[in-house]
Amino acid sequence: MAKEHDFDSRGYDDIIHLPHHVSETHPQMTNINRAAQFSPFAALTGYEDALGETSRLTDAKVLLAEDEKEILDEKLRMIQEGIKNHPEVTITFFVPDEKKAGGAYTSVTGRVKKIDGYEQTVVMQDGTKIPVGEITRIEGTIFGTIFGT
């Protein structure tokens, strides 16, 4: 006795031996594309990206002591006084991360174009703008004086 859902080929006797249809207008799918239909998919879209972002390391911003801030202010004042000579300096500053807490320290070497008091930035001749509040170190030679940290 056959169950109701068992396969019964008698209903297909009229078409079972017909040749396989090949479209004249649509190209046949390649085996690679056919197999791709059955390949696994990423059920958690973006999970790998999120995991990579979480594991990416950032540095914590170091807070400067008052005497260190005063030294940096003095160096910026000296740069401002000699701005017509476009002094060449190396400025190390903190760049906050846009996606998570922390950031990275970077250094820029070049000639100073101006110190913008309104925007509180040091503008380099190449157009780089460095926020004064993020500067941690200035090195260079101003008026024959070599200064470091």
Side-chain angles (χ1 to χ4, degrees):
M1 174 181 218
K3 294 182 182 173
E4 195 174 306
H5 58 276
D6 283 346
F7 179 73
D8 183 7
S9 67
R10 287 177 289 175
Y12 298 103
D13 285 343
D14 57 335
I15 64 170
I16 196 79
H17 296 293
L18 291 177
H20 177 70
H21 173 73
V22 177
S23 174
E24 294 177 10
T25 57
H26 299 289
Q28 205 169 10
M29 187 182 287
T30 66
N31 286 341
I32 291 173
N33 288 342
R34 188 179 308 276
Q37 295 181 63
F38 303 102
S39 65
F41 66 97
L44 299 174
T45 306
Y47 177 73
E48 291 294 325
D49 293 337
L51 193 60
E53 179 63 27
T54 302
S55 65
R56 187 172 52 85
L57 298 176
T58 57
D59 293 326
K61 182 177 178 180
V62 175
L63 298 176
L64 299 178
E66 286 304 314
D67 60 328
E68 293 172 313
K69 289 179 185 178
E70 289 174 11
I71 292 169
L72 285 175
D73 287 344
E74 179 63 21
K75 290 177 183 181
L76 288 170
R77 187 192 60 72
M78 290 174 67
I79 292 169
Q80 183 66 45
E81 284 181 17
I83 204 73
K84 290 180 183 176
N85 298 325
H86 300 291
E88 185 169 349
V89 294
T90 298
I91 300 176
T92 302
F93 60 102
F94 184 76
V95 179
D97 194 286
E98 294 178 5
K99 295 184 179 180
K100 60 195 281 189
Y105 283 93
T106 188
S107 293
V108 172
T109 300
R111 296 199 175 275
V112 178
K113 181 177 180 180
K114 71 176 182 175
I115 297 178
D116 188 333
Y118 181 72
E119 289 189 18
Q120 292 291 303
T121 58
V122 175
V123 181
M124 306 299 278
Q125 281 191 333
D126 67 0
T128 302
K129 291 184 177 183
I130 303 168
V132 171
E134 304 296 339
I135 295 174
T136 57
R137 182 181 189 128
I138 301 174
E139 298 173 302
T141 303
I142 307 278
F143 305 125
T145 304
I146 300 171
F147 53 83
T149 309

